[in-house]
Amino acid sequence: YRERNKYGEWIKKSFAKKLFNTVTNNQSYLKILELGPGDGYIAELSKENKCDFVGVEGSPLIVYRLKEKGINIVQSLFPPLPKSLGCYDLCFALHLIEHMNSIKEAETLLNDIFSHLSPNGKLIIATPDYQRWRTDFYDSDYTHNLPFTFRRLKQLLVNTNEYANIYVGNAFGNKSLFIYWFVKLFYWRFIDNHTKNYLKSDLWYKGYLTFLPNILMIASKK
């Protein structure tokens, strides 16, 4: 479990709220499943909107922290997902698929998710854009195994994909790339490589990672 920077936390909460409102269209009483719920932002938004939320998480520490907040969490490593989960209108899998060990495991997970979606249910998936992250994809998190570009993820979701976009921080669409290009001007890797052992919590690098582009796709159960 990593310490959270207040500014980075605000960006993530803002992104979660924009995404949640867009996907749910402010509807209440939806059944929502989230895999790898992290800090519980989607869970909190679900509660505010009177939606029925269930999270699935493998880490005992994260499960403990979320249960302390009163969030409904099932502790389980996946795939496969627990068969007792039932069916949901929406499934959020944000920054999860890159942690799968192989493309076969990713396919297994997606098939499993679709089996737990109601007719016309939707999967919301986000992952780093490897085309722009490059070596930072691996350097930022030692548990990153499976990289995706925009095209590769679209191929994986073939015949189910209905929405595809890119986002940087809490900004959506191609215009958000201007933020990425601007931040890139002020991040000098050769200086970072010589100062990373002296900067508290590797703050400069983590700030840079916050503004690297990510892929967002929504797939419908067919």
Side-chain angles (χ1 to χ4, degrees):
Y1 190 84
R2 301 175 182 175
E3 291 183 15
R4 300 299 187 236
N5 173 273
K6 287 185 178 180
Y7 184 63
E9 194 173 20
W10 175 83
I11 289 176
K12 288 181 179 180
K13 281 185 177 180
S14 177
F15 161 75
K17 189 170 185 177
K18 285 182 180 179
L19 177 61
F20 187 88
N21 290 342
T22 299
V23 173
T24 64
N25 198 25
N26 295 314
Q27 293 181 68
S28 299
Y29 307 108
L30 294 171
K31 292 191 69 178
I32 295 176
L33 174 67
E34 184 174 20
L35 307 182
D39 292 314
Y41 302 140
I42 297 296
E44 290 167 359
L45 290 164
S46 298
K47 186 176 181 180
E48 290 172 14
N49 286 269
K50 299 178 182 178
C51 294
D52 183 13
F53 177 90
V54 176
V56 182
E57 173 58 54
S59 166
L61 178 58
I62 295 176
V63 168
Y64 174 76
R65 288 177 180 269
L66 293 176
K67 281 188 174 180
E68 276 195 319
K69 296 180 180 180
I71 295 171
N72 186 12
I73 298 292
V74 175
Q75 185 177 338
S76 176
L77 294 173
F78 55 86
L81 294 172
K83 291 182 180 179
S84 58
L85 279 178
C87 286
Y88 297 84
D89 301 304
L90 300 173
C91 176
F92 288 85
L94 307 178
H95 292 274
L96 173 76
I97 198 167
E98 63 268 22
H99 298 278
M100 297 295 103
N101 292 315
S102 66
I103 197 67
K104 190 68 180 174
E105 188 174 78
E107 288 175 339
T108 299
L109 176 63
L110 291 178
N111 288 334
D112 208 1
I113 290 171
F114 282 123
S115 72
H116 286 280
L117 287 177
S118 56
N120 299 315
K122 298 182 189 301
L123 164 65
I124 302 93
I125 190 167
T127 189
D129 180 6
Y130 185 72
Q131 185 177 351
R132 295 179 174 91
W133 280 64
R134 298 294 181 180
T135 56
D136 290 312
F137 174 81
Y138 296 104
D139 202 27
S140 63
D141 190 333
Y142 76 96
T143 65
H144 280 180
N145 291 311
L146 193 60
F148 283 93
T149 61
F150 200 85
R151 286 189 177 93
R152 190 185 194 204
L153 186 58
K154 225 174 178 183
Q155 289 167 10
L156 182 63
L157 296 171
V158 65
N159 298 327
T160 63
N161 178 266
E162 66 171 39
Y163 174 88
N165 210 339
I166 202 158
Y167 71 92
V168 175
N170 58 354
F172 291 82
N174 287 328
K175 63 180 182 296
S176 68
L177 291 175
F178 287 106
I179 300 172
Y180 159 63
W181 292 325
F182 180 78
V183 170
K184 201 172 181 182
L185 287 174
F186 293 92
Y187 176 72
W188 303 304
R189 193 174 296 274
F190 72 97
I191 294 178
D192 183 26
N193 288 337
H194 288 86
T195 60
K196 60 187 175 186
N197 293 326
Y198 308 101
L199 292 176
K200 184 181 178 182
S201 303
D202 210 7
L203 197 59
W204 193 17
Y205 182 59
K206 288 180 180 177
Y208 171 66
L209 294 176
T210 302
F211 296 100
L212 288 181
N214 299 285
I215 303 163
L216 173 67
M217 292 192 183
I218 300 175
S220 291
K221 181 174 182 176
K222 302 295 184 183

